[in-house]
Amino acid sequence: MTIEEIKKGETEKLEFKREIPSKDSKLMKTVVAFSNRHGGRIVFGVDDETHEIIGIENEKVFRLMDALANMISETIEPQVVPRITFETIEDKTIVIVEIVEGQNQPYFLKAEGISDGVYIRVAATTRKAEYEKVKELMLWGERKSYDKIFEKHEAVSEESALHLCHAIEKYNKKNPVTLANLTSWGLLKEEDGKLFPSIAFRLLETGDIHFAQVQCGVFRGTDKVYFIDRKEYSGPIYEQIENAYNFVLQHINIGAKIEGLYRRDIPEIPEEAIRELIVNAVMHRNYLAHSYIQVCIYDDRLEITSPGGLYGGLTLEEMLQGSSSIRNELIADTFLRMGIVEKWGTGIKRIADLCREHGLDEVEYSATDFCFTSTIRRTRKDLFEPVVPKTSSELPDNDRINDRISDRLHDNDRINNGDDRLNDRINLSESEKQIFSEIEKNPFVRTEELASLTGVSMPTVNRAVKALREKGFISREGSKKSGHWLVLAQNQENNK
């Protein structure tokens, strides 16, 4: 531990305490959160607000270390074994509790049980894990992939199963695919002469899993206030990829290169990079999360956000170096067989090379426990021709199909594009924009956390939340304690 680290303040993996209180449940929640994430350190003898080194009295150091070890052992399950040491900085003694990422997740407080006692780390704060996060941690602890699970579900028809066989054949254009293949790969299982689907089969074929959708939107300016166009794509996830990919191509600028007697269109963002990022979002998202993949086009960037952060202890640095941790193993296997992906772990480097060759800045990646975001800056858009939106007759078949599926959005699009008075009614104040932005990033954020994240008072937060709900931007699903926000800006029905 260095003075420089202390001066930088608390982080996702670092917390300060002046001294150890007696039976501090908040302290134990942080130990649980570190065990359920990438680990971390708790430093005693440092003021968490001023970062001043207070120190621990020498005669109390070893007593403190013993008390910490006993408290952790007595209050947390499964067993957490911390590394507890002390150091001298500026002639003052500090005690450091180092927690490594646990291998038997989820960890929880014994007194609260596994249903209520699981905590995770969000930025520099500790918070209770929602049900979906607890379930994912349980699967990780059991080394299971959610998409391989066969939940209670009605049998699927042979016709439906054969449809997926033909879809895989169409993509790979190599070997025929049979029902026996789907069973041997784990997509289906046969019981009493009936075929039952895995989660992966349902995602690839039936499309009946709620929130397994891609929302696409084009916005005027650089934030999510004014829609220019939007679509929601459901159905088989490989079709969602194609539809989202085509949506982006329809709404970015196009340049041209003359090759001999022919003109070749060149999008401002490499097509392969767009497709790769969308594939990654669909393949690696957390399908337990109650939120959608969002593909957003702004004046200055393309932004793709996928529910669920990096999986299995993988860090952003490791990902950028080519490492990968597969959240949905069966979907990844199937995409590999279909030729949608070529090889695991190579996409990030390929995207970087494509953007570099195209003269674009490096892709920006960010990750939290709740989402993963990829951003490509539109730094060369002025070199390309303005996009001319295509009519529905010019779109690929999948787009026309999804136009029919999204009929309920069609009227709203016309209202939003044709009536400027609507934009006047949904104009947001600066505090409302800040609150809305934080809710978009984390639909599970609590109102008291919004005050801390935005730096505004609780009365201002409450007024902004009330205004956003009245204007139809957000709604609440579930209780105040365990519920979450629904972002409704893409469906302006409440704003009419």
Side-chain angles (χ1 to χ4, degrees):
M1 176 63 61
T2 65
I3 295 176
E4 287 72 23
E5 286 181 280
I6 293 173
K7 287 181 178 179
K8 289 179 181 178
E10 294 181 327
T11 67
E12 187 179 26
K13 301 180 70 173
L14 180 63
E15 185 155 313
F16 299 140
K17 300 286 183 183
R18 289 179 64 97
E19 57 186 12
I20 182 172
S22 58
K23 297 185 178 179
D24 184 355
S25 61
K26 184 177 180 181
L27 170 62
M28 292 301 101
K29 290 173 184 177
T30 300
V31 174
V32 167
F34 283 156
S35 300
N36 284 327
R37 196 66 167 89
H38 299 307
R41 291 174 294 173
I42 305 172
V43 181
F44 295 86
V46 177
D47 189 282
D48 62 339
E49 294 184 359
T50 66
H51 309 157
E52 178 187 358
I53 301 174
I54 307 299
I56 303 295
E57 296 178 25
N58 290 336
E59 61 269 20
K60 293 183 179 180
V61 169
F62 292 108
R63 189 163 69 246
L64 169 60
M65 294 170 71
D66 289 341
L68 285 168
N70 290 335
M71 192 181 298
I72 292 171
S73 175
E74 292 169 0
T75 59
I76 297 174
E77 283 188 358
Q79 185 74 47
V80 173
V81 181
R83 181 174 181 264
I84 306 177
T85 59
F86 64 88
E87 293 181 15
T88 300
I89 298 180
E90 296 183 341
D91 296 325
K92 296 176 182 178
T93 302
I94 60 173
V95 173
I96 303 171
V97 178
E98 185 173 357
I99 307 295
V100 299
E101 179 184 358
Q103 297 300 309
N104 299 303
Q105 298 173 5
Y107 292 83
F108 58 94
L109 296 180
K110 292 180 183 179
E112 297 181 5
I114 195 168
S115 59
D116 292 315
V118 178
Y119 292 83
I120 57 175
R121 196 74 171 164
V122 180
T125 64
T126 297
R127 59 172 294 170
K128 182 171 288 190
E130 304 292 342
Y131 168 77
E132 292 78 15
K133 185 62 180 179
V134 174
K135 187 170 182 179
E136 185 178 49
L137 287 170
M138 291 175 69
L139 289 169
W140 168 247
E142 297 170 4
R143 302 300 184 265
K144 291 181 179 178
S145 175
Y146 173 61
D147 64 336
K148 291 183 177 180
I149 292 175
F150 289 83
E151 293 182 334
K152 186 177 181 180
H153 193 276
E154 63 182 16
V156 299
S157 67
E158 184 175 322
E159 179 183 7
S160 177
L162 287 173
H163 183 269
L164 180 57
C165 290
H166 298 326
I168 297 173
E169 288 177 4
K170 180 180 177 180
Y171 269 80
N172 66 31
K173 299 178 181 178
K174 293 179 181 178
N175 303 316
V177 178
T178 66
L179 295 181
N181 290 137
L182 299 188
T183 303
S184 66
W185 294 340
L187 289 165
L188 293 171
K189 69 176 179 179
E190 186 174 356
E191 289 183 0
D192 301 324
K194 296 181 179 179
L195 295 172
F196 292 92
S198 64
I199 296 295
F201 179 91
R202 292 166 63 189
L203 290 167
L204 289 161
E205 172 59 24
T206 60
D208 63 349
I209 294 180
H210 196 41
F211 290 107
Q213 299 181 28
V214 179
Q215 296 177 328
C216 296
V218 184
F219 301 88
R220 184 188 309 161
T222 59
D223 51 23
K224 290 181 179 177
V225 177
Y226 303 117
F227 277 103
I228 295 174
D229 191 15
R230 62 190 178 277
K231 287 287 176 64
E232 293 181 0
Y233 297 115
S234 57
I237 54 176
Y238 57 87
E239 289 185 1
Q240 293 181 32
I241 292 170
E242 299 303 330
N243 288 329
Y245 167 74
N246 287 324
F247 181 92
V248 174
L249 290 183
Q250 292 155 23
H251 290 285
I252 60 175
N253 298 315
I254 303 296
K257 182 179 181 180
I258 305 300
E259 296 180 344
L261 299 175
Y262 302 96
R263 165 189 166 125
R264 181 165 67 90
D265 289 339
I266 304 174
E268 61 174 296
I269 301 172
E271 295 173 87
E272 190 178 345
I274 297 169
R275 181 180 171 81
E276 189 79 38
L277 288 172
I278 295 172
V279 168
N280 285 344
V282 171
M283 185 168 69
H284 296 299
R285 71 152 287 176
N286 178 7
Y287 284 99
L288 286 162
H290 288 183
S291 52
Y292 306 99
I293 292 171
Q294 293 190 335
V295 178
C296 302
I297 303 171
Y298 302 92
D299 285 356
D300 64 341
R301 69 194 187 277
L302 166 66
E303 191 173 271
I304 301 172
T305 301
S306 178
L310 293 171
Y311 183 68
L314 187 70
T315 66
L316 198 59
E317 293 73 20
E318 291 169 341
M319 183 208 76
L320 293 174
Q321 291 171 5
S323 298
S324 63
S325 182
I326 308 298
R327 176 182 267 116
N328 303 299
E329 296 176 3
L330 196 46
I331 291 172
D333 280 339
T334 306
F335 277 9
L336 198 60
R337 290 188 173 95
M338 296 173 77
I340 293 175
V341 296
E342 294 180 7
K343 189 178 180 182
W344 296 345
T346 61
I348 297 299
K349 184 180 183 303
R350 186 161 58 251
I351 293 168
D353 291 342
L354 287 165
C355 290
R356 191 180 305 111
E357 293 168 4
H358 210 70
L360 295 173
D361 293 339
E362 290 188 8
V363 182
E364 301 166 17
Y365 299 101
S366 62
T368 69
D369 266 334
F370 305 102
C371 64
F372 182 87
T373 301
S374 306
T375 303
I376 296 182
R377 298 288 168 182
R378 301 176 68 184
T379 52
R380 298 187 65 199
K381 65 186 181 71
D382 292 338
L383 302 178
F384 295 83
E385 299 173 0
V387 66
V388 178
K390 297 180 181 179
T391 64
S392 59
S393 63
E394 296 175 298
L395 302 181
D397 289 340
N398 285 339
D399 280 319
R400 291 200 296 272
I401 292 170
N402 278 281
D403 281 344
R404 292 196 296 271
I405 293 173
S406 301
D407 277 344
R408 67 184 181 84
L409 293 171
H410 184 65
D411 289 339
N412 292 333
D413 279 332
R414 288 189 307 218
I415 293 171
N416 193 43
N417 290 333
D419 188 356
D420 287 336
R421 290 173 298 174
L422 177 62
N423 287 333
D424 293 334
R425 291 198 297 272
I426 65 172
N427 191 32
L428 301 180
S429 68
E430 286 304 314
S431 59
E432 289 166 3
K433 288 180 182 179
Q434 285 181 285
I435 299 299
F436 184 56
S437 176
E438 293 299 333
I439 289 174
E440 282 187 306
K441 294 175 186 175
N442 175 15
F444 295 93
V445 67
R446 296 188 175 95
T447 51
E448 56 268 24
E449 293 174 326
L450 288 169
S452 174
L453 290 168
T454 59
V456 299
S457 66
M458 276 303 300
T460 301
V461 169
N462 290 331
R463 285 195 299 271
V465 168
K466 181 181 179 182
L468 289 169
R469 296 179 79 161
E470 290 175 348
K471 294 174 182 178
F473 277 80
I474 59 174
S475 69
R476 186 74 180 175
E477 183 171 284
S479 68
K480 182 177 179 181
K481 180 179 178 182
S482 60
H484 62 277
W485 299 104
L486 293 177
V487 176
L488 304 176
Q490 70 280 356
N491 181 3
Q492 303 265 355
E493 289 177 350
N494 293 329
N495 297 327
K496 292 181 183 179

